Amino acid sequence: MDVPRDQITTLMDHGLYTSAQMLGCFLVSSSAVNPETSPHIKAESLVLLGDALFREREHRRAIHTYKQALQHYKIIPRQTSTTRISLSTSNRSSSPNSFNISAISENEVKFKIASCHCALNENVAALAEMEGIPSKARNLQMNLLMGKLHRNSRQNRAAIACYKECLRHCPYVIEAIIALAELGATAKDILSLFPQTPNRSGRPPFDHFESSRWLQRYVEAQCCIASNDYKGGLELFAELLQRFPNNIHILLEIAKVEAIIGKNDEAIMNFEKVRSIDPHIITYMDEYAMLLKIKSDDLKLNKLVYDLVRIDPTRPEVFVALSVAWEKKDERGALTYADKSIQIDERHIPGYIMKGNMYLSANQPDAAVVAFRGAQELKPDLRSYQGLVRSYLALSKIKEALYVAREAMKAMPQSAKALKLVGDVHASNSSGREKAKKFYESALRLEPGYLGAALALAELHVMEGRTADSISLLERYLKDWADDSLHVKLAQVFAATNMLQDALSHYQSALRINAQNEAAKKGLERLEKQMKGVDPDAPEEDEDNEVEDADGDPEEAELL
């Protein structure tokens, strides 16, 4: 043969993919190989070229090349084909990233084609290719890809079956554990899949003693998070972190959950710890970006975005972070970045959350509902519930808002945030304010340090004319929490009661804590007008919007 095939393998093993695909062109066009008399050699050469193209991210060319290889397989004599396939399945990985000069089976080539379609976000074509592989012939890689494709196509039962098959082969496929938890499997169901066949030493490959206990805890933690038991999940992750200090994956999981439930300071601390361990990490960094925006820390946000773009500008997290950074400067551009993140990965939830929040800020609640619904269909969490409630309230759709808030309360019965959501709906009209007060107080009993509920209750006191109660509540919280939002709310209450010097003091305190607090800046501008005797603007009167809630009281009383 004019071109030695093993040289292509050597080039790819050394990461020289451009040279490999150029040499592959010589290999497949060699006149020394007659495709009619040696179809298996021609097919193997084409697959090698396809592998080089895949690694060069020339996925369309790779698909075309792999399909040419399959055409040559069809003319391989049956006896020869059977022999070669049996050798290949035992000696070679089916991944396009794996290189070996031995023959490739038809099923492996189909898997490579499907992998190319996945890289192009062509899930339907990828699934069609994978369904051509008999279930008994699928290896671990194939089952994992099938699970992802079925899940992307909303075929959850089929996805569950594929992920379970993965864990039967290997209990350490973390992706399958997370996916099964999110698809509703219990920890007991998942653990029952782990292989128990004794090995040569007489011990099961996966026993339930010390060596595997950490994995059991990990499964339990992911199932807690998936079922919205955030407290239980965080406790289990904290236990794992004691055994595996500075574990980046666990720290990221903890930080993500803390971001979802509003423990912003703790989440920021863990994200920063992760970046100190590995400054090139991208996973969940868009969540970190959103937290930095909430904290108005533009310096850190801009540095983060610069780093992410430099590391890998093709990841969805990078585009969400860009969207966060550009929201104030260019809302349309920011929205484009959020859309791009979803185009790259249609299951990327932060992209939907970011879109929903931007639409709400732009006073487009209808579009916000669509975005938050998209996030909730993928995986309901506190933020999508909160976004939907805010959107429906902005649309004056009180019934829909109440339904979503109650769904959140059912899904997270031990969540003070969920209780506050129901209170927010009731507080939106005068007839429900007494109910709102009960929900806010219940939220504070459940989580005394939840400032969101304290601020909402203080606002409710003001709406009901109980200004002294509002001031007392806020001052009590300020003794324990030096938070800029508490100072702003107290300043607003003082300003509304014409106690302008007290209002000024608290606005200044808020800005000392957070110089970028927009509410404090705007409040100071209004206060200056008030101190000059000018009415800053006429207050808007809320429209009366009664909640038809007769059937809901027993259910809410039970949950309270």
Side-chain angles (χ1 to χ4, degrees):
M1 183 178 291
D2 295 340
V3 182
R5 285 183 294 148
D6 62 333
Q7 291 304 310
I8 296 181
T9 305
T10 300
L11 288 171
M12 290 194 286
D13 286 344
H14 286 84
L16 305 175
Y17 309 123
T18 302
S19 293
Q21 65 113 329
M22 289 177 179
L23 187 60
C25 292
F26 285 93
L27 180 64
V28 298
S29 61
S30 173
S31 58
V33 178
N34 187 331
E36 293 182 3
T37 58
S38 305
H40 61 282
I41 295 177
K42 183 72 172 180
E44 290 166 19
S45 301
L46 285 164
V47 169
L48 280 173
L49 176 58
D51 288 346
L53 291 168
F54 180 90
R55 293 304 297 266
E56 282 280 273
R57 297 184 179 179
E58 295 195 50
H59 299 113
R60 295 265 179 232
R61 289 183 66 195
I63 290 170
H64 177 69
T65 305
Y66 287 139
K67 286 187 174 179
Q68 283 183 300
L70 286 180
Q71 291 298 319
H72 287 285
Y73 271 118
K74 289 179 181 177
I75 58 175
I76 297 175
R78 188 182 186 91
Q79 184 71 31
T80 306
S81 176
T82 305
T83 304
R84 299 186 73 84
I85 288 171
S86 65
L87 287 170
S88 69
T89 53
S90 61
N91 294 331
R92 178 173 172 131
S93 168
S94 56
S95 169
N97 300 324
S98 304
F99 312 116
N100 195 305
I101 202 163
S102 62
I104 311 287
S105 77
E106 183 179 358
N107 292 334
E108 289 170 342
V109 178
K110 288 180 178 179
F111 171 73
K112 291 169 186 282
I113 294 172
S115 298
C116 290
H117 283 303
C118 280
L120 294 165
N121 285 327
E122 296 172 350
N123 289 331
V124 174
L127 191 56
E129 205 67 47
M130 289 299 297
E131 285 174 342
I133 303 174
S135 58
K136 291 183 179 179
R138 292 178 197 145
N139 59 20
L140 187 57
Q141 288 173 300
M142 294 175 183
N143 276 314
L144 187 60
L145 181 60
M146 280 289 281
K148 292 177 181 177
L149 292 171
H150 281 307
R151 195 177 182 194
N152 288 345
S153 303
R154 306 286 200 274
Q155 299 171 10
N156 289 347
R157 289 182 66 181
I160 288 170
C162 292
Y163 287 128
K164 284 183 173 180
E165 199 59 37
C166 290
L167 293 180
R168 289 190 185 101
H169 281 90
C170 175
Y172 296 96
V173 184
I174 303 293
E175 292 170 87
I177 291 172
I178 296 172
L180 283 171
E182 291 177 349
L183 289 166
T186 65
K188 185 178 179 181
D189 290 338
I190 295 172
L191 291 169
S192 69
L193 298 168
F194 294 174
Q196 298 296 319
T197 307
N199 54 28
R200 291 179 182 177
S201 66
R203 292 186 62 189
F206 184 89
D207 56 41
H208 293 281
F209 299 100
E210 286 301 322
S211 61
S212 59
R213 187 163 292 170
W214 71 265
L215 187 58
Q216 293 178 62
R217 291 287 179 270
Y218 181 83
V219 171
E220 291 164 3
Q222 289 293 358
C223 288
C224 281
I225 301 302
S227 62
N228 298 308
D229 178 9
Y230 297 120
K231 183 182 177 183
L234 286 175
E235 287 173 356
L236 287 163
F237 278 137
E239 182 183 328
L240 284 167
L241 202 58
Q242 289 181 351
R243 180 165 178 179
F244 302 97
N246 295 330
N247 182 311
I248 288 176
H249 174 65
I250 298 298
L251 283 168
L252 284 172
E253 292 296 301
I254 290 172
K256 181 188 74 170
V257 173
E258 288 171 337
I260 289 172
I261 63 177
K263 290 189 171 184
N264 297 346
D265 292 335
E266 294 91 332
I268 287 173
M269 183 181 70
N270 280 314
F271 279 127
E272 288 177 349
K273 185 174 183 180
V274 168
R275 276 175 55 83
S276 70
I277 298 168
D278 183 355
H280 300 99
I281 194 81
I282 290 182
T283 305
Y284 299 159
M285 284 299 118
D286 46 356
E287 302 275 8
Y288 179 38
M290 287 190 270
L291 292 174
L292 292 176
K293 179 198 166 193
I294 291 170
K295 289 291 182 182
S296 301
D297 196 336
D298 294 337
L299 193 64
K300 282 187 180 178
L301 176 59
N302 291 335
K303 173 70 166 62
L304 173 67
V305 173
Y306 173 81
D307 290 344
L308 295 178
V309 171
R310 187 171 49 84
I311 296 164
D312 185 355
T314 65
R315 291 275 293 271
E317 295 95 331
V318 178
F319 284 95
V320 174
L322 281 165
S323 177
V324 173
W326 278 89
E327 186 179 5
K328 286 183 183 178
K329 308 169 195 173
D330 179 2
E331 287 184 2
R332 184 175 296 180
L335 196 57
T336 302
Y337 283 130
D339 279 326
K340 180 65 176 176
S341 74
I342 296 169
Q343 288 172 16
I344 295 170
D345 180 3
E346 62 183 18
R347 295 191 60 82
H348 193 65
I349 292 173
Y352 294 93
I353 298 294
M354 189 64 201
K355 276 184 70 175
N357 287 332
M358 281 193 288
Y359 279 130
L360 271 179
S361 298
N363 198 27
Q364 298 180 50
D366 281 313
V369 167
V370 175
F372 288 124
R373 279 287 176 206
Q376 197 169 55
E377 285 173 9
L378 293 171
K379 185 180 180 295
D381 68 25
L382 186 63
R383 291 177 303 184
S384 58
Y385 284 121
Q386 289 171 330
L388 281 170
V389 168
R390 288 171 58 206
S391 302
Y392 283 131
L393 288 178
L395 290 165
S396 298
K397 293 185 175 180
I398 307 301
K399 286 183 179 180
E400 290 86 343
L402 189 60
Y403 176 80
V404 172
R406 284 177 177 163
E407 285 296 305
M409 197 164 60
K410 289 177 189 174
M412 296 168 275
Q414 296 303 311
S415 169
K417 276 79 175 176
L419 287 170
K420 178 187 173 290
L421 272 184
V422 183
D424 289 343
V425 179
H426 287 305
S428 66
N429 70 96
S430 56
S431 67
R433 287 174 186 166
E434 191 57 38
K435 287 181 183 177
K437 181 172 176 285
K438 291 179 180 178
F439 276 97
Y440 291 150
E441 289 172 344
S442 294
L444 289 172
R445 281 196 297 272
L446 191 61
E447 189 180 328
Y450 179 26
L451 298 184
L455 291 166
L457 183 57
E459 179 64 24
L460 194 65
H461 284 321
V462 172
M463 292 165 67
E464 292 286 283
R466 298 186 295 268
T467 307
D469 290 344
S470 179
I471 292 171
S472 173
L473 174 68
L474 292 168
E475 288 179 337
R476 189 167 73 248
Y477 269 83
L478 271 173
K479 290 178 182 177
D480 297 316
W481 286 277
D483 186 88
D484 52 320
S485 61
L486 288 171
H487 281 291
V488 169
K489 177 58 70 178
L490 197 50
Q492 289 169 346
V493 176
F494 281 132
T497 54
N498 213 33
M499 299 170 70
L500 304 187
Q501 284 300 327
D502 290 313
L504 179 64
S505 172
H506 283 284
Y507 277 133
Q508 290 171 340
S509 296
L511 289 170
R512 278 196 295 272
I513 295 170
N514 180 3
Q516 303 301 319
N517 189 307
E518 290 297 326
K521 290 179 181 178
K522 291 177 181 177
L524 266 179
E525 290 178 13
R526 289 170 56 86
L527 190 63
E528 286 175 1
K529 294 178 181 179
Q530 282 182 276
M531 295 179 89
K532 292 175 183 176
V534 179
D535 186 6
D537 53 35
E540 294 179 7
E541 293 186 5
D542 293 335
E543 291 182 3
D544 232 14
N545 197 340
E546 299 294 322
V547 179
E548 296 179 20
D549 191 31
D551 297 333
D553 287 345
E555 181 183 7
E556 289 183 357
E558 182 182 344
L559 286 162
L560 277 170

